[in-house]
Amino acid sequence: MSQKLDEDSLYALKVAFSYMPKAIEVTRYEYGERTDKVLAEIETVRGVLLDNDVDPDEVFDEVNPDDAPNSSY
């Protein structure tokens, strides 16, 4: 298991991740030969977030609550 990040580092990673493209958006047309590298980097960041008990799919809403869609519950 990897070492946990401090709160400031974890927040910085969340902000950076919220600006990264989603894996589904990474295409050979857009990224060319870098496609596999970009996908691997996205997975690396997702892994570190998961290791720190953060759901990567919820990061954008947490960092940008004003832009988060309203719940339908």
Side-chain angles (χ1 to χ4, degrees):
M1 182 164 191
S2 65
Q3 184 177 357
K4 299 284 186 181
L5 297 176
D6 63 80
E7 288 300 315
D8 289 338
S9 297
L10 185 56
Y11 182 74
L13 186 63
K14 289 177 182 180
V15 170
F17 185 73
S18 70
Y19 287 98
M20 291 179 79
K22 305 287 184 235
I24 196 167
E25 299 169 345
V26 179
T27 64
R28 297 233 180 257
Y29 178 76
E30 288 286 326
Y31 291 88
E33 295 177 11
R34 294 180 35 237
T35 302
D36 293 335
K37 183 177 188 311
V38 171
L39 289 171
E41 290 169 345
I42 292 169
E43 284 306 308
T44 297
V45 175
R46 286 180 63 85
V48 172
L49 289 170
L50 288 169
D51 288 346
N52 282 272
D53 303 319
V54 175
D55 181 351
D57 297 324
E58 301 294 327
V59 168
F60 182 84
D61 295 345
E62 181 183 334
V63 173
N64 302 291
D66 294 337
D67 293 334
N70 292 333
S71 176
S72 60
Y73 294 102

